[in-house]
Amino acid sequence: MSALGLTGVLGGCGAGGDSSDVTLTLVAADYGTGEADSSEKYWADLVERYETDHPGVRIDVSVYSWNDVDRKVKEMVDAGDPPDMAQIGAYADYAAEGRLYRAGDLLSIPVQADFLSQLSAAGEVNSVQYGMPFAASTRVLFYNKDLFAEAGLTPPKTWDELAANAEALAARGVTYPYALPLGPEEAQAETMQWLLSGDGGYTDLAGTYGIDSTENVETFSWLRDELVGKGLTGPVAPGKLDRAKAFEAFAAGDVGMLNGHPSLMEMAEKKGVEFGMVPTPGADGASPATLGVADWMMAFKENGHRDQVGDFLDFVYSEENVLDFSREYDLLPVTGSASRTMAASERDKDLKPFLDQLPTSELYPVGNTSWAAVNAAVKKQIGKAVAPGGSPAGVLGTLQATATRAESAE
């Protein structure tokens, strides 16, 4: 995909022209689906309001697609010309290289304290916060209400109930009784959701990788034997099914159940699919935790401007602006103040199932610079664990070895 915003720089409404003025550069990701809801519009409005009250500061924002934005920032950093701020998918490598301001050196105390605690913790490297959460989401189990009603089913609370429902849907000819996207697009998300529901995860409580733990091997053995092996995951092998294709199939009415995030609501509604949402089933009841995902804001030290960057970010993280962004893109607020407002608001009731999951959500180990290598390996290999004749213990053991090597290289 082509980059968005290469020539369309935002800002300038309140900037003066003398040499005392400061220009701050921000590279941001696009959360929209097209020109009509591009993030360029969100930033243009926010920047205009900020510059009106800060005539000595100009904010230049360049917005790129998610396919391009992380690469673009890396190219700028490698060229010795990093932006003042970047709103992208990962921060740990830049923090480990000493390139980023600490959040506490930028934000006012009330603003930094307003971040949800688990998101703040996920933004830390060696117990110091560098990554500032910008957007968050969680996962719930979506199910097709019409398909369930036709089969006389109720939403599952356990793995066994999910498998029984999938068998009933398969008997009625549903294309994907349960859609299991372990393809390279976002396999790390579906994987972690299942690991958590089996009381496991990528890391243990101390933050040490335990990918081949007994719990994780049992989870993927169950998936291989009880869902994939019984033909309950559809015509596309899980290792080749991407999340976007699974979402499209659900919106087309071809999926009985799948794990989804808030954007699936709008996709399904546009296609007229009646759906329900329930907490992710676990081995013996509701999953003890769900997957939380966050995107990150960071500020580079190279150009200085600490005070101006901090003041602008205080504005970015005001309750009004956090709510505006979250509502525009069906995402969850990253601050306590905006979360409380959303939880009490009738207009945000559709997001409440996801918001309810946020306090018990667990995030990827993004504070580890090793996560990039582990993430890439999961996307490439995890589908093999549930393939016919596949070895969950073998695949997870290989991934653990990858994680150990990546940790040793830090």
Side-chain angles (χ1 to χ4, degrees), residues 182-250:
L182 295 177
E185 179 197 1
E186 203 185 35
Q188 81 284 2
E190 184 74 9
T191 296
M192 185 166 173
Q193 188 71 50
W194 276 98
L195 297 183
L196 291 172
S197 71
D199 207 22
Y202 288 122
T203 59
D204 60 22
L205 293 176
T208 302
Y209 284 106
I211 300 174
D212 59 350
S213 69
T214 300
E215 294 84 359
N216 291 345
V217 171
E218 288 177 350
T219 294
F220 267 78
S221 296
W222 187 91
L223 281 173
R224 180 197 62 188
D225 297 339
E226 302 301 325
L227 286 185
V228 182
K230 293 183 177 180
L232 303 178
T233 54
V236 180
K240 296 186 179 300
L241 180 64
D242 282 336
R243 189 265 307 162
K245 293 298 183 182
F247 277 21
E248 289 175 7
F250 186 84

Side-chain angles (χ1 to χ4, degrees), residues 256-341:
M257 300 170 282
L258 84 170
N259 288 321
H261 53 64
S263 69
L264 183 55
M265 295 189 298
E266 183 178 0
M267 290 180 63
E269 288 167 354
K270 284 183 177 179
K271 296 290 189 176
V273 172
E274 292 288 330
F275 62 89
M277 300 180 292
V278 293
T280 303
D284 301 308
S287 176
T290 190
L291 170 66
V293 177
D295 301 321
W296 302 96
M297 178 74 76
M298 64 212 68
F300 289 89
K301 297 190 292 187
E302 181 105 0
N303 302 322
H305 303 153
R306 186 187 75 175
D307 292 343
Q308 294 90 343
V309 168
D311 188 74
F312 175 66
L313 290 178
D314 273 0
F315 180 72
V316 168
Y317 285 107
S318 68
E319 180 180 337
E320 174 190 358
N321 289 327
V322 171
L323 278 172
D324 284 348
F325 181 84
S326 301
R327 286 166 169 165
E328 175 67 25
Y329 297 107
D330 284 333
L331 292 165
L332 303 182
V334 296
T335 62
S337 58
S339 293
R340 289 188 292 273
T341 298

Side-chain angles (χ1 to χ4, degrees), residues 93-156:
D93 284 346
Y94 299 128
E97 293 168 358
R99 296 180 180 273
L100 302 181
Y101 282 116
R102 298 182 297 182
D105 291 338
L106 296 167
L107 303 173
S108 64
I109 292 175
V111 170
Q112 187 178 10
D114 197 23
F115 288 132
L116 295 172
S117 59
Q118 75 270 38
L119 300 182
S120 289
E124 293 178 355
V125 174
N126 296 326
S127 301
V128 177
Q129 185 181 1
Y130 296 93
M132 293 161 277
F134 184 74
S137 69
T138 57
R139 301 292 199 271
V140 298
L141 183 76
F142 282 72
Y143 65 95
N144 184 308
K145 283 187 173 182
D146 290 338
L147 296 179
F148 266 56
E150 291 167 4
L153 302 175
T154 56

Side-chain angles (χ1 to χ4, degrees), residues 334-357:
V334 296
T335 62
S337 58
S339 293
R340 289 188 292 273
T341 298
M342 182 173 281
S345 172
E346 178 67 18
R347 68 179 288 188
D348 300 309
K349 63 181 180 181
D350 288 347
L351 285 172
K352 194 172 187 307
F354 301 93
L355 197 61
D356 289 344
Q357 298 294 309

